[in-house]
Amino acid sequence: MSEILKELQTLQPAEHDAGEVFSGKKSKRTVRGFASASSFTPDLNPEYLFHDSSRDAVVWFMDSSDPLYVFGPAGSGKTSLIKQLSAKLNYPVFDITGHGRLEFPDMVGHLTVEDSNMTFQYGPLALAMKFGGLFLLNEIDLLDPATAAGLNGILDGDPLCIPENGGEVIKPHQLFRFAATANTNGGTDETGLYQGTLRQNLAFMDRFWLCEIGYPSPKAERELLHRKAPGLPKDIRTKMVEFANEVRKLFMGEADGNFRDTIEVTFSTRTLIRWADLTVRFQPLARQGIQPVTYALDRALAYRATPETRTVLHELAQRIFPQQKENES
């Protein structure tokens, strides 16, 4: 732990040109970050697909007067968005995933034995507040509302007091940021898709700047597949994006036509890329009369579904990918 603290103590705040960082074009607006990356800074993915709604998170980074609450459907890239924006600013990210038994001390830290001595080991929240960085609380709507309400003072900018560490008081670092992700808006889950989510305290939710993240646009995902799987014919890539969006509608209960029931799996952009990659790999199977697209679909997503949902996925695939079209590919 001492090595971690030594590294964090060397972090140097820096001013960045916001336009150059986020769009590649210089602007007159600045955003604060760090001079260099640390071991806590997420790796920058040059092929990451930023959502249109990511502009809200960018503005938040530029002037974060309130903590940020990012919500949206499963697989829409909420956590990836925060981490990739942090990577651009060399921000260290200290994250933890919420669950029903998570308690406030889990975020702050605990006493432990190190070299036969009792020492206090800082948790992710304490590290972010003490040294500057982003505390990322994923799946915050799985938290017990009473536990979440214990964060109210932190969200208001109050210092953190750690009685277990001799009453240490940590004043929020000037670059401390608090962000949370969730599948719901903190109200309730009317869809029944997200089991275990809890309605959060109204006073707790009132402290957040809200940002809704949806799935990327079809055009953006088509361009991404073109970069990731150029060996696939354009019409197949286009149909893959169409298929993914139909599955997302089924997942969210927004489908029409012959497929009205909701399903328990959905397509993230990551899964879409995996599907395209596997389809390319399994192309030789076409000579054996096996459809590479549907064969890869099982291994990318459908095997995670119930037998009933897998049947629905294959029926949808037969409609979007006619047999003769795939054999031609």
Side-chain angles (χ1 to χ4, degrees):
M1 186 66 180
S2 58
E3 294 300 320
I4 292 176
L5 298 182
K6 288 179 181 178
E7 179 188 9
L8 294 176
Q9 288 170 347
T10 64
L11 292 175
Q12 294 294 322
E15 296 281 348
H16 299 274
D17 184 284
E20 190 171 9
V21 168
F22 296 123
S23 68
K25 299 179 181 179
K26 288 189 176 182
S27 67
K28 296 181 179 179
R29 303 190 65 182
T30 60
V31 56
R32 301 200 71 185
F34 292 86
S36 59
S38 71
S39 59
F40 291 94
T41 303
D43 293 331
L44 184 63
N45 179 2
E47 296 182 334
Y48 176 75
L49 185 65
F50 283 97
H51 307 67
D52 291 340
S53 50
S54 64
R55 66 174 68 89
D56 293 358
V58 170
V59 172
W60 175 76
F61 264 107
M62 294 172 64
D63 185 14
S64 56
S65 55
D66 293 307
L68 181 69
Y69 186 105
V70 182
F71 70 98
S76 57
K78 301 177 291 294
T79 299
S80 298
L81 170 65
I82 297 300
K83 287 190 172 182
Q84 285 303 302
L85 290 177
S86 298
K88 284 179 170 287
L89 295 171
N90 296 321
Y91 243 97
V93 175
F94 307 91
D95 59 336
I96 192 170
T97 299
H99 54 80
R101 290 177 292 178
L102 183 70
E103 297 181 349
F104 191 69
D106 296 325
M107 297 179 261
V108 176
H110 59 273
L111 289 170
T112 186
V113 177
E114 185 175 322
D115 297 329
S116 300
N117 295 314
M118 186 69 74
T119 61
F120 185 81
Q121 182 170 324
Y122 292 107
L125 176 60
L127 288 172
M129 292 186 68
K130 187 177 182 70
F131 299 103
L134 188 144
F135 175 64
L136 177 59
L137 180 50
N138 288 306
E139 311 292 353
I140 195 173
D141 52 356
L142 294 178
L143 275 184
D144 183 297
T147 299
L151 290 164
N152 284 353
I154 302 300
L155 300 181
D156 289 338
D158 293 343
L160 172 66
C161 180
I162 308 178
E164 297 86 351
N165 199 29
E168 179 184 8
V169 175
I170 299 178
K171 294 183 179 180
H173 188 281
Q174 58 182 345
L175 289 182
F176 167 60
R177 301 290 182 263
F178 189 115
T181 67
N183 292 128
T184 72
N185 64 358
T188 186
D189 174 28
E190 297 180 351
T191 66
L193 297 172
Y194 306 108
Q195 307 242 342
T197 56
L198 299 170
R199 184 183 184 90
Q200 296 299 311
N201 181 282
L202 181 61
F204 172 72
M205 290 302 303
D206 189 53
R207 289 168 162 82
F208 284 96
W209 174 344
L210 300 179
C211 175
E212 183 175 16
I213 298 292
Y215 293 111
S217 68
K219 179 182 178 181
E221 287 193 319
R222 287 194 297 268
E223 292 175 352
L224 180 62
L225 285 191
H226 174 67
R227 297 201 304 267
K228 301 296 288 188
L232 281 177
K234 180 179 179 180
D235 64 323
I236 295 296
R237 297 196 304 265
T238 299
K239 289 180 180 295
M240 282 183 161
V241 174
E242 178 187 346
F243 180 90
N245 280 296
E246 288 297 321
V247 171
R248 291 162 179 166
K249 289 179 182 178
L250 284 168
F251 175 72
M252 299 171 68
E254 299 175 353
D256 51 18
N258 297 325
F259 301 100
R260 294 185 179 275
D261 294 334
T262 58
I263 59 176
E264 76 282 2
V265 295
T266 187
F267 253 97
S268 65
T269 300
R270 183 188 301 110
T271 300
L272 179 60
I273 293 171
R274 182 188 305 126
W275 183 27
D277 177 63
L278 290 176
T279 299
V280 173
R281 296 189 189 191
F282 290 127
Q283 280 300 313
L285 294 179
R287 293 192 294 269
Q288 303 174 32
I290 299 175
Q291 290 184 296
V293 167
T294 50
Y295 189 87
L297 175 63
D298 277 336
R299 285 141 185 86
L301 176 70
Y303 277 156
R304 284 196 276 120
T306 62
E308 293 79 11
T309 295
R310 187 178 171 219
T311 298
V312 170
L313 293 175
H314 280 275
E315 289 177 357
L316 181 61
Q318 289 174 9
R319 190 184 75 184
I320 294 180
F321 298 95
Q323 176 79 37
Q324 66 273 17
K325 288 286 187 182
E326 188 169 349
N327 285 340
E328 289 174 3
S329 68

